[in-house]
Amino acid sequence: MPIILNLDVMLAKRKMRSNELAEKIGITTANLSILKTGKAKAVRFTTLEAICEILECQPGDILEFVNEIK
């Protein structure tokens, strides 16, 4: 998948654990794990907004486009 979520990187930079972020944004740790592993097919803007608010970052800090065709 050409869109990568660097959520684990931002969590490490903010010294925050996944379960703490999940609790603060109101999703299950299982759903957050799906986001972190890149298995999610979509992300709601409200979820992305909550993540950015809690981690004090921009969507571009979390989302990365990688061109697979070379």
Side-chain angles (χ1 to χ4, degrees):
M1 176 180 266
I3 301 291
I4 297 173
L5 273 100
N6 293 314
L7 196 50
D8 52 349
V9 174
M10 287 307 298
L11 283 168
K13 285 182 179 180
R14 300 299 188 252
K15 296 182 172 76
M16 185 180 291
R17 296 174 57 95
S18 296
N19 57 351
E20 182 182 352
L21 178 62
E23 184 179 314
K24 287 184 178 191
I25 63 175
I27 66 171
T28 65
T29 53
N31 283 340
L32 186 61
S33 178
I34 290 169
L35 286 175
K36 283 179 55 180
T37 58
K39 294 180 181 176
K41 298 291 181 194
V43 179
R44 291 181 184 268
F45 281 143
T46 54
T47 302
L48 183 59
E49 179 182 352
I51 290 170
C52 289
E53 186 175 326
I54 297 300
L55 295 179
E56 298 178 351
C57 65
Q58 294 294 314
D61 296 329
I62 298 171
L63 301 171
E64 179 182 354
F65 174 75
V66 177
N67 192 353
E68 293 180 339
I69 301 172
K70 292 186 179 188

